[in-house]
Structures are given as C-alpha cells and as structure tokens.
Amino acid sequence: MRSYPSIFRLSLLIASILSILAYRAVLSQELVFPIGSALRTIEETLKKPDEEIDLVWLKLTVDKMVDPSVDIQATQEHLDKMARDLRAMLLSSSSDEDKLKALKAYLYEPGKWNDFNSFQYNLSNPLGTNVKDKLLTNYLRTRKGNCVSMPILFLFLGEKIGLNITLARAPNHLFIKYRDSSGAYYNIETTSGGNFARDVWMHQKMPMTDRAVASGIYMRPLTKKEMATDILLLLNEAYSDIRFIEKRRQIARLSLKHDPKNIAAILHMMTSYQQELNYEFGNKYPNIPAKEKERYSELYNAFGYWYQKAEDLGWKPSDLGN
C-alpha cells in the first residue's frame, strides 16, 4: 500500500476539521438545503451547449440552495440595473478597452455610479472560510468580496456590456481572463482593483508546477460549462459535514462529468475519503482489527486514487495552503 506524504495527511486533517467547523457555523444559522429538484434542474442545464447555459441563473440557484433567503429575480434585476448604469458611462463607439476601464471604475473607484461605496476585498475574511461570503447576494449587499464572488460579478457585468471575458483557475483561486480585440489574453485580478496581472506574478503569488499549467488545471480560460462546474462546487462547502459525504461526492462527480480536469472537484473527492478515514478510524485503533481492514483499505485506496489523479495533473499538496 502506497504511503502518502505526512505533510499531506496533516493538511487534510486540518482541512477536514476546518470544514466541519465551517459547516457547524452555517448550521447554527439554520440554513437548509433543498437540493433534490434544484440539482436535477442543474444537471439538465449542464447538458446544454455552452451558448445556452445561463451562468447568472445557475449561480443564484446554487446560492439559494445554500441560503433560501436569496431572491433570484430581485438579484437578476439588480444586475440588469448595474449593466444599464455601466452602459450609460459608455459611448456607442466605445472600444473593448473603454468598456474594461468603465467596468473597473464602476466597481472599484468610489463615485456617484456606486454611491461612493466601491467594491472591496474582504480583509476580515480573506480566505472566504464562511460559505455565505461567497454568495453573490452577500457581495452585492456588503460590497466586500473574495476570489469567488469578485471575479464572478466582474464576469457577469462584463458579459452584459459585451466584453470577451471568462474565469480561470489558479491554486485555491479564481481570476478573470480578458481577450482583447486582437485575440490576446490578459489576466485580471479582481481582488486587487481589477488590475492586469502577468503570468509570472501569478506564479510567484500562487506557486504552481509547469505540469499543472500544461495539463490545463490552472491558468487556462474556461468554457462556460467549465465555469458552471466551479459555481456548482460551492455546495460542497455547505455540505462539508460527514453526514452529507455522499451528497458531496455526487456533486463532485457531476462537476467532473462535464469537466474532467476540475481540480477542485478532484480534491473534494479526495478529501471526502480522507474525512471518512478520519471519522471511522482516526486514532481509534492502535492497529486496525482484521474485521475492519477491508473497509480501511477500501477508503485508503479510494483516497489514493484521487490523490494520484490530482498529482498526475500537476497538483501538489502545498496547493491546499495557498
């Protein structure tokens, strides 16, 4: 049986503990998870071609599954109003560069267009450990976001004014890829004022292997369906308690069905088996009893399978800490 790095075991143990604590914090807010029919609708949506996938609807539907107080229609109307305000800042002859500048000003520079209350990075919860901080409605209300809510709002508004933009992944991070009129791609860091970020800078801030970039798990502009699978995985953070482990795997498998290189979904699968190992065995036995060895091997091998899949794509254990 292969022995996996002890630092990785420690990282996963800490991640499991933190995820359970995060879930308990959510549970104390009396959130419910009406997942059945909504998830079936999302499954049908993911079968559609890219041009027919409504990411705004998908994001708000997932958010509502986490927090039933989310008003989908009201939030859609709010986004439409923001887009109208943005268009009012533009001329009919505005170039893509003009649109990008207007969007950055609208979000990040205080002015009458945002009631002198610009959108900012949430320094009080920089890692977004509270799942509610990743809800779009929460970001719109508080104007304090993270590397999930900030690029998603930038994406939605940019698309509404005709920009060619998409999401991209880095270790534990989402950012924007902008394609200009010549076809060249640029990274935009929405957690830092919507400024351009060179590849080398992102590699320094979020170290990643060359293999991870070559395999496409990081730094690649995502298709609409691939973006949808990332949005869906917010549910796995809400379902972090051991009681919902099979539901979490169901969601991760659904994401992987439509995006086999979704490293976050692979890691959700991997950590779910580590969590189950900790829960069923942990320090319970000094030596695994004979009658439990088959079950232990089943979980350990499943964990190893997903670990190997992630590693083969260029992921490394230290990515969990970024």
Side-chain angles (χ1 to χ4, degrees), residues 4-18 274 278 303 317 320:
Y4 295 98
S6 58
I7 188 173
F8 182 59
R9 287 203 191 98
L10 179 59
S11 296
L12 284 177
L13 178 59
I14 293 171
S16 295
I17 293 170
L18 289 176
Q274 174 68 22
N278 288 340
F303 158 73
L320 281 175

mmCIF file of all heavy atoms in Angstrom, residues 4-18 274 278 303 317 320:
data_model
loop_
_atom_site.group_PDB
_atom_site.id
_atom_site.type_symbol
_atom_site.label_atom_id
_atom_site.label_comp_id
_atom_site.label_asym_id
_atom_site.label_seq_id
_atom_site.Cartn_x
_atom_site.Cartn_y
_atom_site.Cartn_z
ATOM 1 N N TYR A 4 1.382 7.972 1.621
ATOM 2 C CA TYR A 4 1.303 9.339 1.133
ATOM 3 C C TYR A 4 2.000 10.278 2.106
ATOM 4 O O TYR A 4 2.157 9.960 3.288
ATOM 5 C CB TYR A 4 -0.155 9.733 0.905
ATOM 6 C CG TYR A 4 -0.763 8.911 -0.191
ATOM 7 C CD1 TYR A 4 -1.535 7.791 0.106
ATOM 8 C CD2 TYR A 4 -0.503 9.204 -1.519
ATOM 9 C CE1 TYR A 4 -2.055 6.999 -0.906
ATOM 10 C CE2 TYR A 4 -1.019 8.416 -2.535
ATOM 11 C CZ TYR A 4 -1.794 7.321 -2.227
ATOM 12 O OH TYR A 4 -2.298 6.536 -3.225
ATOM 13 N N PRO A 5 2.443 11.454 1.636
ATOM 14 C CA PRO A 5 3.251 12.348 2.457
ATOM 15 C C PRO A 5 2.572 12.715 3.771
ATOM 16 O O PRO A 5 1.387 13.017 3.806
ATOM 17 C CB PRO A 5 3.414 13.591 1.560
ATOM 18 C CG PRO A 5 3.208 13.092 0.181
ATOM 19 C CD PRO A 5 2.219 11.973 0.287
ATOM 20 N N SER A 6 3.344 12.692 4.853
ATOM 21 C CA SER A 6 2.775 13.018 6.159
ATOM 22 C C SER A 6 2.280 14.448 6.208
ATOM 23 O O SER A 6 1.283 14.748 6.846
ATOM 24 C CB SER A 6 3.820 12.800 7.252
ATOM 25 O OG SER A 6 4.966 13.595 7.019
ATOM 26 N N ILE A 7 2.967 15.364 5.502
ATOM 27 C CA ILE A 7 2.508 16.757 5.483
ATOM 28 C C ILE A 7 1.147 16.856 4.823
ATOM 29 O O ILE A 7 0.314 17.678 5.175
ATOM 30 C CB ILE A 7 3.534 17.663 4.761
ATOM 31 C CG1 ILE A 7 3.135 19.134 4.929
ATOM 32 C CG2 ILE A 7 3.657 17.303 3.292
ATOM 33 C CD1 ILE A 7 4.165 20.095 4.395
ATOM 34 N N PHE A 8 0.910 15.960 3.852
ATOM 35 C CA PHE A 8 -0.388 15.971 3.194
ATOM 36 C C PHE A 8 -1.474 15.469 4.134
ATOM 37 O O PHE A 8 -2.564 16.017 4.194
ATOM 38 C CB PHE A 8 -0.330 15.100 1.945
ATOM 39 C CG PHE A 8 -1.619 15.080 1.178
ATOM 40 C CD1 PHE A 8 -2.163 16.247 0.694
ATOM 41 C CD2 PHE A 8 -2.288 13.886 0.951
ATOM 42 C CE1 PHE A 8 -3.352 16.233 -0.013
ATOM 43 C CE2 PHE A 8 -3.464 13.870 0.254
ATOM 44 C CZ PHE A 8 -3.994 15.046 -0.240
ATOM 45 N N ARG A 9 -1.150 14.420 4.897
ATOM 46 C CA ARG A 9 -2.126 13.929 5.863
ATOM 47 C C ARG A 9 -2.487 15.027 6.849
ATOM 48 O O ARG A 9 -3.646 15.221 7.193
ATOM 49 C CB ARG A 9 -1.550 12.730 6.617
ATOM 50 C CG ARG A 9 -1.469 11.450 5.809
ATOM 51 C CD ARG A 9 -1.452 10.241 6.741
ATOM 52 N NE ARG A 9 -1.115 9.041 6.012
ATOM 53 C CZ ARG A 9 0.093 8.512 5.957
ATOM 54 N NH1 ARG A 9 1.095 9.101 6.585
ATOM 55 N NH2 ARG A 9 0.315 7.410 5.275
ATOM 56 N N LEU A 10 -1.473 15.765 7.310
ATOM 57 C CA LEU A 10 -1.711 16.835 8.264
ATOM 58 C C LEU A 10 -2.560 17.940 7.631
ATOM 59 O O LEU A 10 -3.502 18.442 8.249
ATOM 60 C CB LEU A 10 -0.376 17.420 8.742
ATOM 61 C CG LEU A 10 -0.457 18.583 9.742
ATOM 62 C CD1 LEU A 10 -1.199 18.153 10.997
ATOM 63 C CD2 LEU A 10 0.938 19.082 10.078
ATOM 64 N N SER A 11 -2.232 18.306 6.387
ATOM 65 C CA SER A 11 -3.004 19.350 5.701
ATOM 66 C C SER A 11 -4.462 18.946 5.565
ATOM 67 O O SER A 11 -5.371 19.741 5.784
ATOM 68 C CB SER A 11 -2.416 19.620 4.304
ATOM 69 O OG SER A 11 -1.123 20.135 4.403
ATOM 70 N N LEU A 12 -4.688 17.688 5.193
ATOM 71 C CA LEU A 12 -6.055 17.225 5.015
ATOM 72 C C LEU A 12 -6.798 17.133 6.345
ATOM 73 O O LEU A 12 -7.994 17.428 6.417
ATOM 74 C CB LEU A 12 -6.054 15.867 4.320
ATOM 75 C CG LEU A 12 -5.780 15.924 2.825
ATOM 76 C CD1 LEU A 12 -5.737 14.523 2.255
ATOM 77 C CD2 LEU A 12 -6.823 16.740 2.111
ATOM 78 N N LEU A 13 -6.093 16.724 7.386
ATOM 79 C CA LEU A 13 -6.731 16.659 8.696
ATOM 80 C C LEU A 13 -7.179 18.048 9.127
ATOM 81 O O LEU A 13 -8.310 18.239 9.579
ATOM 82 C CB LEU A 13 -5.750 16.079 9.717
ATOM 83 C CG LEU A 13 -6.267 15.997 11.172
ATOM 84 C CD1 LEU A 13 -7.526 15.147 11.241
ATOM 85 C CD2 LEU A 13 -5.188 15.441 12.078
ATOM 86 N N ILE A 14 -6.294 19.027 8.948
ATOM 87 C CA ILE A 14 -6.658 20.404 9.297
ATOM 88 C C ILE A 14 -7.814 20.880 8.435
ATOM 89 O O ILE A 14 -8.760 21.494 8.921
ATOM 90 C CB ILE A 14 -5.435 21.328 9.124
ATOM 91 C CG1 ILE A 14 -4.371 20.974 10.172
ATOM 92 C CG2 ILE A 14 -5.826 22.787 9.265
ATOM 93 C CD1 ILE A 14 -3.048 21.679 9.961
ATOM 94 N N ALA A 15 -7.745 20.577 7.127
ATOM 95 C CA ALA A 15 -8.822 20.995 6.229
ATOM 96 C C ALA A 15 -10.146 20.365 6.626
ATOM 97 O O ALA A 15 -11.194 21.010 6.591
ATOM 98 C CB ALA A 15 -8.476 20.619 4.784
ATOM 99 N N SER A 16 -10.102 19.079 7.037
ATOM 100 C CA SER A 16 -11.327 18.399 7.455
ATOM 101 C C SER A 16 -11.919 19.046 8.697
ATOM 102 O O SER A 16 -13.118 19.278 8.793
ATOM 103 C CB SER A 16 -11.044 16.922 7.728
ATOM 104 O OG SER A 16 -10.657 16.266 6.562
ATOM 105 N N ILE A 17 -11.043 19.359 9.665
ATOM 106 C CA ILE A 17 -11.511 19.990 10.889
ATOM 107 C C ILE A 17 -12.125 21.351 10.591
ATOM 108 O O ILE A 17 -13.210 21.682 11.071
ATOM 109 C CB ILE A 17 -10.358 20.124 11.901
ATOM 110 C CG1 ILE A 17 -9.920 18.741 12.379
ATOM 111 C CG2 ILE A 17 -10.764 20.986 13.095
ATOM 112 C CD1 ILE A 17 -8.646 18.749 13.192
ATOM 113 N N LEU A 18 -11.419 22.134 9.762
ATOM 114 C CA LEU A 18 -11.929 23.463 9.431
ATOM 115 C C LEU A 18 -13.248 23.380 8.688
ATOM 116 O O LEU A 18 -14.155 24.185 8.910
ATOM 117 C CB LEU A 18 -10.897 24.224 8.588
ATOM 118 C CG LEU A 18 -9.645 24.680 9.339
ATOM 119 C CD1 LEU A 18 -8.672 25.332 8.366
ATOM 120 C CD2 LEU A 18 -10.006 25.660 10.452
ATOM 121 N N GLN A 274 -10.542 11.089 2.820
ATOM 122 C CA GLN A 274 -9.692 11.346 3.981
ATOM 123 C C GLN A 274 -10.564 11.660 5.205
ATOM 124 O O GLN A 274 -10.293 11.179 6.312
ATOM 125 C CB GLN A 274 -8.752 12.521 3.691
ATOM 126 C CG GLN A 274 -7.921 12.960 4.882
ATOM 127 C CD GLN A 274 -6.890 11.918 5.285
ATOM 128 O OE1 GLN A 274 -6.515 11.084 4.465
ATOM 129 N NE2 GLN A 274 -6.442 11.963 6.525
ATOM 130 N N ASN A 278 -10.697 9.557 8.682
ATOM 131 C CA ASN A 278 -10.533 10.174 9.998
ATOM 132 C C ASN A 278 -11.726 9.864 10.897
ATOM 133 O O ASN A 278 -11.568 9.586 12.090
ATOM 134 C CB ASN A 278 -10.393 11.691 9.861
ATOM 135 C CG ASN A 278 -9.059 12.096 9.279
ATOM 136 O OD1 ASN A 278 -8.105 11.325 9.314
ATOM 137 N ND2 ASN A 278 -8.989 13.289 8.729
ATOM 138 N N PHE A 303 -9.032 7.141 -1.527
ATOM 139 C CA PHE A 303 -8.276 8.369 -1.287
ATOM 140 C C PHE A 303 -7.047 8.416 -2.185
ATOM 141 O O PHE A 303 -6.766 9.425 -2.845
ATOM 142 C CB PHE A 303 -7.876 8.440 0.190
ATOM 143 C CG PHE A 303 -6.699 9.342 0.474
ATOM 144 C CD1 PHE A 303 -6.843 10.713 0.422
ATOM 145 C CD2 PHE A 303 -5.448 8.801 0.769
ATOM 146 C CE1 PHE A 303 -5.759 11.552 0.683
ATOM 147 C CE2 PHE A 303 -4.364 9.630 1.018
ATOM 148 C CZ PHE A 303 -4.524 11.005 0.978
ATOM 149 N N PRO A 317 0.545 18.895 -2.947
ATOM 150 C CA PRO A 317 -0.113 19.073 -1.650
ATOM 151 C C PRO A 317 -0.096 20.491 -1.112
ATOM 152 O O PRO A 317 -1.046 20.930 -0.487
ATOM 153 C CB PRO A 317 0.644 18.123 -0.732
ATOM 154 C CG PRO A 317 1.140 17.052 -1.639
ATOM 155 C CD PRO A 317 1.465 17.748 -2.923
ATOM 156 N N LEU A 320 -3.047 23.212 -1.255
ATOM 157 C CA LEU A 320 -4.130 23.359 -0.288
ATOM 158 C C LEU A 320 -3.929 24.569 0.603
ATOM 159 O O LEU A 320 -4.881 25.139 1.115
ATOM 160 C CB LEU A 320 -4.214 22.114 0.602
ATOM 161 C CG LEU A 320 -4.905 20.894 0.020
ATOM 162 C CD1 LEU A 320 -4.781 19.728 0.990
ATOM 163 C CD2 LEU A 320 -6.365 21.162 -0.274
#
